[in-house]
Amino acid sequence: MNALKVTTLALALAAAFPVVAQAQSNKELLNELRALQKRVGELEQKLKAEEAKSAAAPTAAAAAPAAEPVQPGMTPDQQAEFNRIAVKAEALEDARDASGLRGLKISGYVDPTFIYNQRQDRAGFQFLNQVGDDGYNYDNGYFGMGQLDIQKEMDGGTKWRLTLQPNRGVGEVFSAGNIVAEASVSVPLTDLQTRFIAGQIPDWSGYEYLPGTQNKLITHNLLFDFTLPTAYTGAGLELTSGKWIVKGLLANMNASKKNSGNKAPVLAYRVDYAKGEFNGFGFAGVHGKAANFRADETDAAGDLVYPDDSGKDTALNLFELDGYFIRGDWTVQGQVSFGQQKKAAIYANADTGELQDARWWGLSGLAAYKFTPQLEGIMRADYINNSKNGGGLLGYTFSDGRNGIGPGFVYDDASGTWSEDPDSKGSNRYALTFGLGYAFNLNTVFKMEYRYDGSNKHVFENVKDGSYKKDNQLFGVATVVSF
């Protein structure tokens, strides 16, 4: 410490302790100042050493590897375990992406079903029974099925879908043994709300659907079974704007390809509006040309009755409006449909012998109430007016005693036999259905149903004695298990 600092310190001490300073001799004061100087020097050296040590610390820290930062709330051991899991998760994600599993969703269901049909004198289980064995009828339609649905969304928003339904699916309508219900792609164009769609796509009309997981009852309503298309093969667009979804296709209806001589596709479209999460409406239509099975009728000798019309698609126009409303424990659904097909009526013109047009309209309504979160009661009512030209519905161009379609039959007391009603009007059909659904768990639903079908004519064949009745009864139970 230099002299100036010592002198300054001495003056400060003298000012702070004037009495002490005056009492001491100069010699004593000098000795104390020297001792103080020595002590200050020692402290100064110690301070310099600490400053040198601090200056060297950053260099040593830089030379050593940086410690892993510890997340707030974690101990170093917990942080190490967290890092190990993160590395493993990244490796699994890389393996998933390399295997093409990213964006992949696989789901499915089965619904083995037991059906009792009064007039058909039949009761038994139905599950994956082939269409070729018994056809498609309202008592064995799209239930008793098994489905595997595979969906994948790729980078960029493209969606791919393959749905398989052996024996009872959409594919069986196209060709025997075809298990493909849907094979479609959806490619975003300008944005994710504007999409190009193409492939084989099940029909989107009405408030009921093909899979049993999406329907409250076992059987379907009359409009679903007899007035709606099954599927389309074609291409089109899907547009989403706010609460609106619009989609349309140019396609072959109920066929994967056109037969020779037929070139015109149908225009199929669907528009949906979701007013809220629990209510909305939609409408769908099909306009164009489709197969006319009435024109392919043969006589007893196997010759075509209408050779000029055979094999030719005829003009078809279908339109339906549907809606839904859910409030608390209540669910209400409804549908109204109109349709006509040229030269597809059951009766030909009595004067000219030419084929006539088939026309129909129908209504369907469903109401369901949840007694408990698991138990739900359901009631459905259907009606089809089909009196025009002897009747005839989409794909049903003949008298059908199984489904109750056509002009019906009359009994001749003299001969004791039944014969087709000569009245040129078709039968009007209705059905009342009551059911229960019990959600056993998140993946299992038990269903029970009683259905009463009726008509204004004798159209239901009683296979026991060959007679025809105006009504029929059906009872069914089913177990729907999905994943």
Side-chain angles (χ1 to χ4, degrees):
M1 182 177 291
N2 56 39
L4 177 61
K5 289 184 178 180
V6 174
T7 303
T8 303
L9 180 60
L11 292 174
L13 291 171
F17 305 100
V19 175
V20 176
Q22 293 175 3
Q24 291 178 323
S25 65
N26 291 336
K27 185 178 180 179
E28 291 173 346
L29 180 60
L30 181 61
N31 290 336
E32 290 182 4
L33 289 174
R34 286 174 178 173
L36 182 60
Q37 181 182 14
K38 182 179 179 182
R39 186 176 178 186
V40 170
E42 292 173 355
L43 292 173
E44 189 176 20
Q45 291 298 323
K46 186 177 180 181
L47 180 60
K48 288 181 179 179
E50 291 179 353
E51 289 176 351
K53 185 178 179 181
S54 298
T59 304
E68 186 73 22
V70 178
Q71 297 291 335
M74 287 188 180
T75 66
D77 290 342
Q78 290 173 331
Q79 179 67 48
E81 180 65 12
F82 175 82
N83 294 339
R84 186 188 68 81
I85 295 174
V87 171
K88 187 174 182 180
E90 290 178 359
L92 291 174
E93 290 178 354
D94 292 341
R96 176 202 64 187
D97 296 347
S99 302
L101 299 178
R102 182 179 181 182
L104 185 67
K105 178 184 177 182
I106 301 177
S107 61
Y109 80 94
V110 295
D111 64 338
T113 304
F114 179 90
I115 293 292
Y116 163 77
N117 187 318
Q118 178 191 18
R119 301 303 179 194
Q120 288 293 303
D121 192 29
R122 178 183 305 171
F125 287 95
Q126 294 185 180
F127 186 59
L128 300 183
N129 49 305
Q130 294 184 347
V131 173
D133 291 342
D134 196 28
Y136 274 118
N137 302 279
Y138 79 92
D139 65 338
N140 72 343
Y142 292 99
F143 51 84
M145 299 173 62
Q147 174 179 293
L148 181 65
D149 186 51
I150 306 169
Q151 300 182 52
K152 179 176 175 62
E153 183 170 357
M154 294 173 277
D155 292 340
T158 295
K159 297 179 181 179
W160 178 93
R161 186 169 191 173
L162 178 65
T163 307
L164 307 178
Q165 294 174 336
N167 295 343
R168 301 305 301 170
V170 168
E172 286 283 343
V173 174
F174 285 60
S175 59
N178 184 343
I179 68 172
V180 178
E182 179 172 355
S184 64
V185 293
S186 173
V187 182
L189 298 178
T190 57
D191 52 45
L192 294 177
Q193 285 70 47
T194 304
R195 292 178 169 272
F196 169 77
I197 55 176
Q200 177 179 306
I201 301 174
D203 178 57
W204 44 47
S205 305
Y207 68 83
E208 291 190 327
Y209 300 88
L210 287 173
T213 53
Q214 296 176 279
N215 293 309
K216 295 182 178 297
L217 292 166
I218 301 173
T219 65
H220 290 87
N221 67 57
L222 291 175
L223 308 185
F224 180 96
D225 283 329
F226 303 131
T227 73
L228 302 181
T230 300
Y232 312 101
T233 302
L237 292 174
E238 179 178 325
L239 308 175
T240 302
S241 179
K243 298 180 179 181
W244 292 92
I245 300 177
V246 180
K247 49 191 174 184
L249 293 170
L250 288 177
N252 305 328
M253 190 189 82
N254 296 350
S256 58
K257 63 181 181 63
K258 287 284 189 179
N259 293 325
S260 178
N262 298 298
K263 300 178 286 293
V266 299
L267 169 63
Y269 56 87
R270 171 84 195 183
V271 177
D272 284 289
Y273 176 76
K275 185 177 180 181
E277 184 179 358
F278 303 108
N279 57 91
F281 69 89
F283 60 88
V286 178
H287 309 284
K289 289 188 174 183
N292 180 13
F293 302 112
R294 179 69 171 93
D296 297 330
E297 182 183 346
T298 59
D299 57 21
D303 297 325
L304 288 168
V305 178
Y306 306 100
D308 294 339
D309 296 311
S310 180
K312 295 181 179 179
D313 293 351
T314 59
L316 174 75
N317 289 287
L318 305 174
F319 183 81
E320 67 86 23
L321 173 68
D322 57 81
Y324 64 94
F325 178 82
I326 302 172
R327 178 61 59 85
D329 295 324
W330 283 97
T331 297
V332 179
Q333 298 170 307
Q335 178 183 347
V336 54
S337 294
F338 305 87
Q340 64 177 19
Q341 184 171 9
K342 191 174 180 62
K343 296 186 175 182
I346 293 177
Y347 275 159
N349 187 292
D351 298 325
T352 65
E354 295 180 350
L355 292 173
Q356 301 185 103
D357 298 344
R359 296 176 185 172
W360 62 87
W361 62 270
L363 302 167
S364 178
L366 179 146
Y369 179 78
K370 286 190 175 182
F371 301 107
T372 71
Q374 290 79 34
L375 182 63
E376 185 174 36
I378 309 106
M379 181 182 70
R380 184 181 64 203
D382 308 324
Y383 175 78
I384 292 181
N385 186 293
N386 190 33
S387 61
K388 183 70 173 180
N389 298 328
L393 298 168
L394 185 62
Y396 294 84
T397 55
F398 54 91
S399 295
D400 186 346
R402 172 79 171 270
N403 291 301
I405 297 172
F409 291 79
V410 293
Y411 183 71
D412 184 357
D413 292 328
S415 62
T417 60
W418 291 84
S419 60
E420 190 170 280
D421 192 340
D423 184 1
S424 61
K425 291 186 177 181
S427 61
N428 297 326
R429 282 275 274 108
Y430 62 89
L432 294 173
T433 309
F434 304 90
L436 291 173
Y438 180 75
F440 181 71
N441 55 40
L442 292 176
N443 304 100
T444 306
V445 176
F446 298 117
K447 297 181 180 180
M448 182 174 65
E449 173 182 318
Y450 168 77
R451 172 168 171 160
Y452 179 84
D453 283 87
S455 171
N456 63 330
K457 291 193 170 188
H458 293 82
V459 290
F460 295 101
E461 181 182 8
N462 187 4
V463 298
K464 283 185 176 181
D465 56 14
S467 63
Y468 287 84
K469 305 295 182 181
K470 288 186 176 182
D471 60 10
N472 189 23
Q473 298 183 77
L474 181 147
F475 175 79
V477 292
T479 303
V480 183
V481 181
S482 61
F483 71 91

